[in-house]
Amino acid sequence: MEKEKKYTVIAGCGRLGASIAGKLSDEKKDVMILDCDKTAFRKLPYSYGGLTMTAGATDIEKLTAANLKEASVFLAVTDYDCVNICAAQIAKKVFQIPKVVARIYDEEKTELVKSMGIDTICPSELSEKEISNYIEIGGMKHVG
Amino acid sequence: MLGKRKEQGSILIVGGFNKARSLANSLLKKGYRVTVINKEYDACEKLAEIHKLNVIYGDGSKRFILEDAGADTCQVAIALTESDETNLVICEMCKQFFHVKKTVALLNDPSKTNFFYQMGIDRVVCALNMITGIMEEQALMDEMTTRVPFDEDRIHIMEIPILKNSAMAGKKLWELNLPKEIIIGCILRGDRSLIPRGDTRIREGDVLLIITSDKSKLEEIKELTEYAAS
């Protein structure tokens, strides 16, 4: 029987990474989270039942050893744009992971990865949308 | 952006302090226009002391900083920051946004070399690989002074000095019976350099520049240059 590949790899155990990892683990999904600082894993909830690995997000050797080829989703959510871009590109091009998402703070850099089929999350863009939603609630314009 | 005239010989260096300084000095001497970007203010002040060097203070991985530095008029961009990932992103931005013809990235982790090439960076310089290579060469080979690998280690260029009493000394090239994988590209004699022909005679004190496609032939060359058995 063909082994179903359905595991999610999260690079960067910050607030975002840890909280996504916790949620996926609660839903009984297979998750692996990596961070180069092993103390970062303290942020994971007690209930977390997935794997952790102390490795840099762009460390190809360690990622190969962790069998990243079998992953179906890769999330690059470290604090650094360049690391996220590089990790996402490695996930896409070296390990051919079908779904790759990268958090990129600097909007101008999103174009670098979009053309490769990598999805991007840009916090400032999201906040901007939310804020404009708040100030135009119900068709009432609060901003003159 | 494409329509803009590319100025001849403009080079952009991002990051690095000592490396950037010595590289900039050497390029300026050769007549290139050089711009450096550095995100440390102190480093910028020191770099600005170099005559004719353009210095930009800022984070070189930001698009607007690259734009300020005139990346769109440069032919070559060199990324020398300490972070591999930053160097990758800088080169990608120079390539995709500013159409820089040639990008060069410094790399610490040798396992990423192929990936960097795959991402379209023209030249990847892995300092660690080079240093360990040189160390190995210095430790193992005394009589062969330099060995430069080309084309991903397929071609090697070496300098071999002809010592006193070497078996090669006094012979013409056609008498040497060199293996097929080896040619003598050049002979350095005193301050002259000769392009050798079959009837060129090798003398003591010459330095041969040898090109080989097969590393294992090193031993054979060694034997050839050794003292005459007599």
Side-chain angles (χ1 to χ4, degrees):
Chain A
M1 212 172 75
E2 200 187 317
K3 206 186 147 207
E4 226 182 320
K5 54 182 225 177
K6 252 195 184 166
Y7 94 93
T8 304
V9 179
I10 301 171
C13 192
R15 272 169 301 175
L16 182 61
S19 113
I20 297 172
K23 281 198 181 116
L24 289 173
S25 158
D26 286 346
E27 291 168 24
K28 304 274 179 285
K29 301 267 167 54
D30 289 332
V31 196
M32 180 170 73
I33 187 157
L34 35 115
D35 200 292
C36 55
D37 176 13
K38 67 176 181 219
T39 58
F41 299 125
R42 283 187 305 198
K43 292 173 206 140
L44 289 165
Y46 283 118
S47 60
Y48 180 70
L51 300 167
T52 58
M53 181 168 77
T54 315
T58 61
D59 188 332
I60 296 179
E61 275 167 14
K62 278 195 180 163
L63 295 178
T64 311
N67 211 8
L68 217 72
K69 270 203 161 73
E70 295 298 316
S72 56
V73 181
F74 184 91
L75 311 176
V77 288
T78 73
D79 261 339
Y80 306 96
D81 276 2
C82 295
V83 175
N84 289 344
I85 290 172
C86 186
Q89 288 176 340
I90 288 175
K92 195 83 196 172
K93 295 289 170 179
V94 179
F95 297 106
Q96 267 115 32
I97 297 173
K99 187 80 184 162
V100 180
V101 184
R103 166 169 67 182
I104 299 173
Y105 289 106
D106 180 3
E107 233 172 299
E108 293 186 306
K109 290 197 188 83
T110 56
E111 279 171 52
L112 288 179
V113 293
K114 270 188 176 157
S115 57
M116 289 181 191
I118 294 166
D119 293 319
T120 56
I121 296 283
C122 181
S124 64
E125 207 181 351
L126 293 178
S127 327
E128 196 188 307
K129 274 185 202 154
E130 278 304 296
I131 288 170
S132 64
N133 274 348
Y134 282 132
I135 54 182
E136 288 180 353
I137 296 165
M140 264 257 290
K141 289 208 169 174
H142 294 266
V143 180
Chain B
M1 207 175 289
L2 273 171
K4 235 184 207 177
R5 190 175 63 100
K6 293 254 173 191
E7 282 177 53
Q8 267 311 307
S10 292
I11 296 178
L12 179 67
I13 301 172
V14 186
F17 175 64
N18 287 320
K19 292 184 196 93
R21 185 164 60 176
S22 80
L23 188 58
N25 269 326
S26 146
L27 290 170
L28 284 167
K29 230 177 256 169
K30 295 191 175 94
Y32 293 99
R33 232 185 301 259
V34 185
T35 305
V36 297
I37 301 178
N38 200 300
K39 62 176 180 182
E40 310 287 341
Y41 193 80
D42 295 347
C44 284
E45 272 185 335
K46 290 208 180 83
L47 287 166
E49 288 167 12
I50 299 173
H51 183 55
K52 275 189 171 174
L53 181 66
N54 297 321
V55 181
I56 304 279
Y57 166 55
D59 179 354
S61 67
K62 294 267 158 59
R63 185 178 176 156
F64 62 92
I65 297 286
L66 290 172
E67 212 169 296
D68 282 353
D72 50 343
T73 61
C74 290
Q75 279 93 52
V76 184
I78 303 168
L80 294 178
T81 74
E82 279 159 25
S83 142
D84 290 351
E85 294 87 4
T86 311
N87 289 341
L88 175 79
V89 170
I90 289 167
C91 287
E92 284 183 352
M93 287 209 285
C94 285
K95 200 100 213 171
Q96 290 184 28
F97 298 158
F98 301 107
H99 309 284
V100 175
K101 216 189 279 166
K102 185 169 184 179
T103 52
V104 184
L106 181 68
L107 179 65
N108 286 312
D109 172 10
S111 67
K112 287 198 200 76
T113 314
N114 280 337
F115 167 68
F116 270 45
Y117 279 121
Q118 201 186 342
M119 297 321 295
I121 292 170
D122 299 288
R123 278 283 175 271
V124 180
V125 177
C126 186
L128 192 71
N129 268 3
M130 283 189 166
I131 291 169
T132 51
I134 294 168
M135 286 297 179
E136 196 182 315
E137 172 194 311
Q138 294 298 327
L140 298 180
M141 293 184 285
D142 281 328
E143 50 283 356
M144 298 183 203
T145 47
T146 29
R147 191 173 65 87
V148 191
F150 268 90
D151 201 17
E152 288 174 4
D153 250 20
R154 281 194 290 266
I155 304 282
H156 296 267
I157 299 184
M158 283 164 294
E159 268 180 28
I160 299 184
I162 301 297
L163 305 171
K164 213 179 166 191
N165 301 330
S166 160
M168 266 191 191
K171 283 196 178 149
K172 289 185 177 172
L173 284 197
W174 59 266
E175 293 172 328
L176 285 177
N177 212 3
L178 286 173
K180 257 193 294 189
E181 294 82 359
I182 292 173
I183 63 162
I184 297 176
C186 184
I187 298 177
L188 309 173
R189 181 172 293 166
D191 46 8
R192 285 188 307 149
S193 46
L194 315 169
I195 301 297
R197 302 164 60 99
D199 57 355
T200 309
R201 203 179 282 281
I202 294 173
R203 293 194 205 153
E204 279 176 19
D206 283 356
V207 176
L208 309 184
L209 272 188
I210 287 196
I211 304 172
T212 172
S213 58
D214 188 350
K215 231 198 240 175
S216 61
K217 296 289 167 190
L218 286 176
E219 285 306 310
E220 281 184 43
I221 305 172
K222 247 182 178 174
E223 273 168 34
L224 281 170
T225 53
E226 230 129 71
Y227 303 117
S230 56

